Amino acid sequence: MAVGDIKGDEAVVVEITAGATIAKGDVVHYEGASDWRPVVDTDIGKFGVAIEAIASAATGRIVIWGRVEVTATAAAIGKYARAMAGTTGKIVLDDATGEGTDEVVGTTMEAFDSGGTGTLWVGLVN
């Protein structure tokens, strides 16, 4: 499997409009006015994972709930950990600084090495 590949039958897929170029496998964030962009580490709110590359201003498909292959950045992330937005479309371990679940992208289904890929259940907050 590769980043952006759906890992189960239960995924919820929606069509979005990109506000910037999005690569397959990027974790994306809703910026408002139907505009989705790759995440940065300050994003909170609505998240998804691109299952195809999407050019800026074009439409494409993302998973908003379900298991998808993504990439981690920074430190390693353990299995069944809460993950939040990292940088440039990646995830990091939830820093648990009290912002609540609005910063959580989902739950990891396996351990991630730093910079490694693995399965994230988008929208599942444990």
Side-chain angles (χ1 to χ4, degrees), residues 13-126:
V13 177
V14 298
E15 187 169 271
I16 58 99
T17 300
T21 300
I22 298 171
K24 180 180 178 184
D26 275 355
V27 178
V28 295
H29 175 255
Y30 181 68
E31 298 287 336
S34 299
D35 183 347
W36 290 78
R37 297 170 184 255
V39 294
V40 297
D41 60 1
T42 56
D43 285 336
I44 59 173
K46 299 176 183 177
F47 299 101
V49 176
I51 57 174
E52 59 193 5
I54 312 167
S56 183
T59 58
R61 298 175 304 141
I62 66 169
V63 170
I64 59 170
W65 191 87
R67 295 175 289 158
V68 186
E69 183 103 355
V70 298
T71 303
T73 188
I77 305 174
K79 185 176 184 178
Y80 303 134
R82 288 176 17 154
M84 62 188 240
T87 56
T88 321
K90 312 290 189 281
I91 61 166
V92 295
L93 179 65
D94 180 19
D95 62 13
T97 58
E99 288 90 349
T101 58
D102 59 348
E103 71 175 5
V104 177
V105 175
T107 300
T108 59
M109 297 287 99
E110 57 196 311
F112 285 68
D113 293 329
S114 178
T117 63
T119 306
L120 175 74
W121 194 306
V122 180
L124 177 65
V125 179
N126 64 359

